[in-house]
């Protein structure tokens, strides 16, 4: 759109006009700069571990924690602050998470935000060599949803090679198997959306997750596992190295290892138990070369296991009872009934003779090489997610941390200062994958259960349990309002529908909704039966606090039903206390149509036991269909003639005149009822 600036004609000195023009240009450029700086951009968390989102730059409180690979929207950015960093104001891409601040060095902006290719990882123009390369990728077996991202990497790094590993496994089967409790864990401090709600992992009634490998690690949710396992989420320069082959290559040297270990306790030298001073970088380089395994991988694995500070008792050499023993790779360091993770790990180290730092690193490296790399689990991804070693699919996995592959892959990428080398990436492909990469949003706590639900002055039937959503209450006809109180298990959930409710006669449905922080709603329903103000109503005491009030005569049979009365209307007219009711046909199946002669009105307790059963009679309805028709006339005639005899409730129904027997008088009454000349009294 073209805009024209119109200035009234007036005599302005030339110098003033020039100064005005310069000021206008500067103002416009400043405005555009501000607009660009504060235009939302997309980015990805690329730190080695979880990143704290703060309420304010530098010293703000914690809003949430984001794991490596999480996508964020950068809303705005600051100028460099006193800590020397630019800080981004961010929110999760979906906009579902509260905004907060992250240091800019922990976020990698998407190409579109930096002025490069668009964010969809789709080249702006596919033709010529690009089209040929895409065709090659598809012929190799890469699905279309992989190809554009790989093409972008190929264009920047033409020496990189990509091989599809056809697992032959169905995607949904893989996620189901990897979601078995204990196979994939997350730290207990992460967003609750990443945690499993499987019964073996989580207690809905208390909103607590069970600890696996200590209280600090809990089971990962299937949704987050699917996100971490979908290779298409990591086909970028930051995370692609989780698919790098782990065999040794000549370009892997001590300098690269040193770069990977920068900023950790392994950045320099160590004094071993034999008094020798050795370099961690040289140690990994030598051991990797001798085993035929990437020293970068070994160093990254050790860094993943021990963190940046190296304070674990497994590598202190001072743990009581295991002085002088080390387990740098945390081999078999997991909690069992026989001992803690530390004790089990050091017991294994002692049994292996790892009485020096060098021996521990060499021995742990050999475990990784022989038990994983040389069994086909030759990428970080395959070590974490065993989808290739057929003898022990899913169970033969080196680490339980579901984020390990992406985290170690990021570290591996940083170790390669020269990325123009001929790297080989082995990327898994599954059958029946979703068309698009699996997305994941930290939606928060999923608990939508109530911890309590009460109706003031009355007992619920059945008694309250957070897992049960249907309840009933019976009140007298004089009760016009009730008060419902409810509270949620999780403090982050919201409850609606509680409070005071007005009641109509008959059944009233009250819905109480508990909505979790993640947005999932669970509806609890209370059916309140307010007794009808009827004359001649009958109260039946079923015992144990259970009873029913209904506007029907109760004697040998229950009578008073108008012909063609629906079962629902009959049940609605009853006021139930601590029981439920069903109306059964003569064959024992539940009747859902009209109540008829011979139907059994059956009352049940909370445990399903029958508390009482009463047989219905509709006078004139001899065949039990709830109607008075020619069929009933014929049945009465056959009874009088002795052709077929009626008994029980059917004989009672045939006596429409109530004179003690079935006669032609009853037949006349049936006929007159059908003609509308007479109404049989019920």
């Amino acid at each position: 759109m073209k805009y024209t600036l119109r200035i009234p004609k007036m005599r302005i000195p030339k110098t003033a006009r020039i100064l005005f023009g310069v000021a206008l240009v500067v103002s416009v450029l400043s405005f555009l700069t501000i607009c660009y700086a504060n235009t939302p951009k997309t980015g990805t968390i690329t730190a080695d571990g979880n990143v704290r989102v703060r309420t304010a730059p530098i010293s703000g409180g914690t809003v949430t924690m984001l794991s490596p690979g999480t996508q964020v929207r950068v809303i705005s950015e600051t100028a460099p602050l006193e800590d020397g960093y630019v800080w981004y104001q961010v929110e999760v891409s979906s906009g579902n998470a509260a905004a907060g601040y992250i240091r800019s060095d922990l976020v990698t902006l998407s190409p579109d935000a930096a002025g490069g290719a668009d964010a969809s990882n789709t080249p702006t123009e596919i033709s010529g060599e690009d089209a040929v390369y895409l065709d090659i990728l598809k012929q190799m077996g890469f699905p279309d949803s992989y190809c554009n991202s790989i093409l972008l990497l190929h264009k920047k790094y033409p020496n990189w090679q990509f091989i599809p590993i056809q697992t032959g496994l169905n995607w949904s089967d893989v996620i189901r198997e990897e979601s078995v409790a204990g196979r994939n864990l997350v730290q207990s401090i992460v967003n609750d959306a990443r945690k499993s709600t499987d019964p073996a992992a989580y207690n809905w009634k208390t909103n607590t997750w069970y600890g696996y490998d200590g209280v600090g690690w809990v089971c990962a949710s299937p949704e987050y596992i699917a996100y971490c396992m979908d290779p298409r989420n990591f086909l970028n320069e930051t995370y692609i190295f989780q698919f790098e082959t782990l065999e040794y290559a000549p370009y892997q040297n001590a300098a690269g290892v040193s770069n990977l270990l920068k900023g950790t306790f392994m950045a320099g030298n160590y004094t071993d138990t034999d008094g020798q001073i050795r370099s961690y970088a040289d140690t990994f380089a030598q051991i990797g070369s001798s085993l035929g395994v990437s020293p970068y991988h070994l160093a990254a694995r050790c860094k993943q296991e021990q963190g940046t500070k190296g304070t674990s008792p497994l590598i202190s050499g001072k743990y009581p009872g295991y002085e002088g023993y080390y387990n740098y790779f945390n081999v078999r360091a997991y909690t069992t009934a026989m001992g803690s993770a530390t004790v089990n790990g050091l017991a294994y180290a002692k049994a292996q003779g790892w009485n020096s730092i060098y021996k521990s690193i060499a021995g742990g490296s050999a475990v990784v090489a022989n038990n994983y790399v040389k069994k086909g689990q030759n990428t970080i991804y395959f070590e974490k997610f065993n989808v290739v070693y057929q003898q022990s699919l899913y169970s033969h996995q080196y680490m339980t941390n579901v984020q390990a592959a992406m985290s170690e892959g990021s570290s591996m990428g940083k170790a390669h200062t020269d990325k123009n080398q001929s790297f080989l990436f082995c990327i898994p492909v599954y059958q029946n994958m979703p068309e698009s990469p699996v997305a994941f949003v930290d939606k928060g706590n999923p608990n939508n259960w109530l911890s309590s639900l009460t109706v003031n002055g009355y007992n619920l039937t059945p008694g309250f349990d957070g897992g049960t959503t249907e309840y009933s209450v019976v009140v007298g006809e004089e009760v016009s309002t009730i008060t419902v109180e409810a509270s949620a298990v999780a403090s982050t959930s919201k409850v609606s529908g509680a409070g005071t409710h007005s009641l109509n006669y008959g059944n009233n449905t009250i819905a109480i909704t508990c909505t979790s922080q993640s947005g999932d709603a669970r509806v609890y329903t209370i059916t309140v039966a307010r007794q009808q103000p009827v004359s001649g109503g009958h109260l039946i005491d079923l015992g144990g606090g259970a009873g029913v009030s209904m506007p029907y005569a109760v004697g040998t049979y229950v009578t008073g039903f108008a012909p063609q009365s629906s079962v629902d209307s009959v049940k609605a007219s009853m006021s139930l206390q601590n029981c439920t009711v069903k109306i059964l046909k003569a064959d024992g199946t539940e009747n859902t149509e009209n109540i008829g002669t011979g139907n059994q009105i059956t009352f049940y307790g909370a445990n399903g036991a029958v508390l009482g059963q009463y047989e219905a009679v509709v006078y004139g309805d001899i065949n039990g269909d709830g109607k008075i028709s020619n069929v009933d006339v014929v049945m009465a005639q056959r009874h009088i003639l002795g052709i077929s005899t009626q008994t029980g409730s059917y004989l009672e129904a045939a006596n429409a005149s109530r004179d003690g027997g079935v006669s032609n008088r009853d037949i006349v009454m049936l006929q007159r009822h059908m003609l509308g000349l007479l109404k049989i009294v019920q």
Side-chain angles (χ1 to χ4, degrees):
M1 182 179 292
K2 183 177 180 180
Y3 295 92
T4 303
L5 179 64
R6 299 186 182 277
I7 302 176
K9 293 182 179 180
M10 57 186 297
R11 295 181 62 82
I12 302 176
K14 182 177 181 181
T15 301
R17 293 200 305 272
I18 294 174
L19 291 175
F20 173 78
V22 171
L24 180 62
V25 170
V26 170
S27 297
V28 170
L29 290 176
S30 299
F31 174 74
L32 292 176
T33 301
I34 293 172
C35 287
Y36 175 78
N38 291 284
T39 299
K41 312 172 183 68
T42 58
T44 304
I45 301 297
T46 52
D48 289 340
N50 292 330
V51 171
R52 191 184 308 277
V53 181
R54 298 182 180 274
T55 56
I58 303 178
S59 58
T62 301
V63 176
T64 187
M65 302 289 290
L66 299 179
S67 66
T70 301
Q71 291 187 337
V72 296
R73 293 178 70 249
V74 178
I75 302 170
S76 64
E77 59 186 68
T78 69
L81 301 180
E82 57 265 31
D83 62 350
Y85 292 101
V86 170
W87 284 73
Y88 290 154
Q89 184 184 25
V90 304
E91 64 180 17
V92 174
S93 295
S94 69
N96 289 339
Y101 291 86
I102 298 178
R103 265 184 9 214
S104 59
D105 62 311
L106 303 176
V107 179
T108 298
L109 296 179
S110 300
D112 63 324
D118 71 39
S120 66
N121 279 340
T122 303
T124 55
E125 183 178 343
I126 300 178
S127 60
E129 293 182 1
D130 289 350
V132 171
Y133 187 74
L134 280 178
D135 188 55
I136 291 174
L137 291 176
K138 294 174 184 178
Q139 290 183 31
M140 291 173 65
F142 279 113
D144 289 348
S145 56
Y146 284 62
C147 293
N148 289 329
S149 296
I150 295 176
L151 174 59
L152 285 178
L153 290 172
H154 169 73
K155 287 169 70 68
K156 187 171 184 179
Y157 301 106
N159 291 327
W160 288 10
Q161 300 178 54
F162 307 92
I163 297 177
I165 304 299
Q166 303 292 343
T167 66
L169 302 175
N170 187 67
W171 174 253
S172 61
D173 294 340
V174 171
I175 301 306
R176 184 187 65 251
E177 292 293 336
E178 289 287 357
S179 298
V180 171
R183 284 185 176 165
N184 282 284
L185 308 181
V186 292
Q187 288 181 294
S188 58
I189 60 173
V190 303
N191 191 285
D192 289 343
R194 304 183 190 186
K195 304 173 187 177
S196 173
T197 55
D198 184 277
Y202 177 66
N203 188 328
W204 286 91
K205 293 183 179 180
T206 59
N207 190 33
T208 55
W209 280 268
Y210 307 130
Y212 281 72
D213 195 14
V215 297
W217 291 89
V218 299
C219 294
S221 69
E223 295 78 13
Y224 192 56
I225 292 171
Y227 169 78
C228 294
M229 288 196 70
D230 192 334
R232 297 168 297 182
N233 286 323
F234 308 105
L235 300 180
N236 54 59
E237 190 174 347
T238 301
Y239 294 107
I240 187 68
F241 286 91
Q242 65 185 280
F243 307 115
E244 179 192 3
T245 181
L246 299 181
E247 280 82 8
Y248 176 78
Y251 60 77
Q252 298 162 348
N253 52 43
V257 176
S258 180
N259 188 55
L260 186 148
L261 297 177
K262 189 180 300 181
T264 75
F265 75 100
M266 295 184 289
N269 299 331
Y270 63 94
T271 302
D272 214 338
T273 53
D274 60 2
Q276 293 293 316
I277 298 176
R278 297 185 175 94
S279 159
Y280 277 107
D282 288 339
T283 296
F284 283 110
Q286 294 166 9
I287 293 172
S289 176
S290 64
L291 290 172
V293 175
S294 165
Y296 296 169
H297 169 54
L298 299 176
R301 171 57 46 77
C302 211
K303 176 182 174 182
Q304 177 76 21
E305 295 291 345
Q306 300 303 333
T308 58
K309 296 182 179 180
T311 57
S312 169
L314 283 157
I315 61 171
S316 69
K318 300 177 182 179
Y319 193 82
Y322 298 94
E323 292 86 353
Y325 290 95
Y326 304 83
N327 192 336
Y328 265 68
F329 283 81
N330 291 347
V331 181
R332 298 194 184 180
Y334 44 78
T335 302
T336 66
M338 303 300 294
S340 67
T342 298
V343 169
N344 288 334
L346 287 175
Y348 182 80
K350 187 174 183 177
Q352 300 302 311
W354 295 350
N355 58 358
S356 73
I357 295 176
Y358 187 91
K359 288 181 181 178
S360 174
I361 295 176
S365 297
V367 170
V368 173
N370 296 326
N371 289 357
Y372 294 91
V373 178
K374 296 182 180 179
K375 288 187 176 180
Q377 293 176 256
N378 61 342
T379 68
I380 296 173
Y381 182 96
F382 290 144
E383 285 188 346
K384 171 63 203 89
F385 305 113
N386 177 23
V387 292
V388 289
Y389 181 42
Q390 296 294 324
Q391 288 87 331
S392 302
L393 280 177
Y394 314 117
S395 61
H396 191 261
Q397 301 182 155
Y398 187 86
M399 53 284 212
T400 54
N401 179 3
V402 73
Q403 299 173 185
M406 68 169 79
S407 179
E408 289 190 38
S410 174
S411 296
M412 290 282 282
K414 294 176 182 177
H416 297 307
T417 54
D418 180 10
K419 288 188 171 62
N420 291 307
Q421 303 171 81
S422 299
F423 294 114
L424 176 62
F425 300 101
C426 301
I427 305 172
V429 175
Y430 301 94
Q431 295 180 358
N432 301 313
M433 296 184 74
E435 292 186 5
S436 302
V438 174
F440 184 83
V441 176
D442 282 326
K443 298 185 294 183
N445 190 281
N447 195 296
N448 56 8
W449 281 36
L450 291 179
S451 60
S452 66
L453 179 64
T454 59
V455 175
N456 289 356
Y458 298 92
N459 294 324
L460 294 177
T461 301
F464 175 75
D465 181 275
T468 302
T469 58
E470 300 287 337
Y471 299 92
S472 63
V473 169
V474 177
V475 300
E477 63 181 77
E478 74 282 359
V479 180
S480 59
T481 62
I482 61 168
T483 300
V484 177
E485 295 182 354
S487 59
V489 171
S491 60
T492 51
S493 299
K494 296 180 180 180
V495 178
S496 61
T500 301
H501 294 264
S502 298
L503 300 177
N504 297 317
Y505 292 113
N507 287 338
N508 299 262
T509 301
I510 298 174
I512 312 299
T513 303
C514 183
T515 304
S516 69
Q517 184 183 38
S518 62
D520 297 320
R522 184 178 179 86
V523 179
Y524 292 77
T525 302
I526 304 175
T527 300
V528 182
R530 182 184 179 189
Q531 295 177 354
Q532 298 277 359
V534 295
S535 59
H538 291 76
L539 179 65
I540 302 174
D541 185 359
L542 298 171
V548 58
S549 175
M550 57 184 180
Y552 307 110
V554 181
T556 305
Y557 304 103
V558 180
T559 61
F561 309 102
Q564 294 184 274
S565 293
S566 71
V567 163
D568 288 341
S569 67
V570 170
K571 291 194 292 186
S573 69
M574 299 178 182
S575 295
L576 303 173
Q577 177 72 45
N578 296 326
C579 66
T580 59
V581 62
K582 290 183 180 179
I583 296 178
L584 308 179
K585 297 178 182 179
D587 61 5
T589 61
E590 186 172 4
N591 188 1
T592 58
E593 299 175 348
N594 296 329
I595 190 166
T597 298
N599 285 180
Q600 299 291 330
I601 304 172
T602 309
F603 300 98
Y604 301 87
N607 61 358
V610 175
L611 302 179
Q613 193 169 59
Y614 302 85
E615 192 167 0
V617 166
V618 178
Y619 285 103
D621 171 33
I622 305 173
N623 72 337
D625 64 359
K627 299 181 292 185
I628 299 175
S629 66
N630 284 325
V631 174
D632 301 302
V633 173
V634 171
M635 293 182 73
Q637 291 172 335
R638 290 171 64 85
H639 177 82
I640 294 171
L641 294 173
I643 298 174
S644 61
T645 303
Q646 302 300 322
T647 60
S649 59
Y650 304 100
L651 178 60
E652 180 70 16
N655 184 22
S657 63
R658 315 283 186 89
D659 61 1
V662 182
S663 65
N664 287 331
R665 180 184 178 188
D666 298 302
I667 293 175
V668 171
M669 292 185 69
L670 293 175
Q671 293 171 332
R672 289 172 64 82
H673 178 94
M674 289 187 293
L675 293 171
L677 301 176
L678 173 72
K679 184 175 182 180
I680 295 176
V681 176
Q682 298 295 329

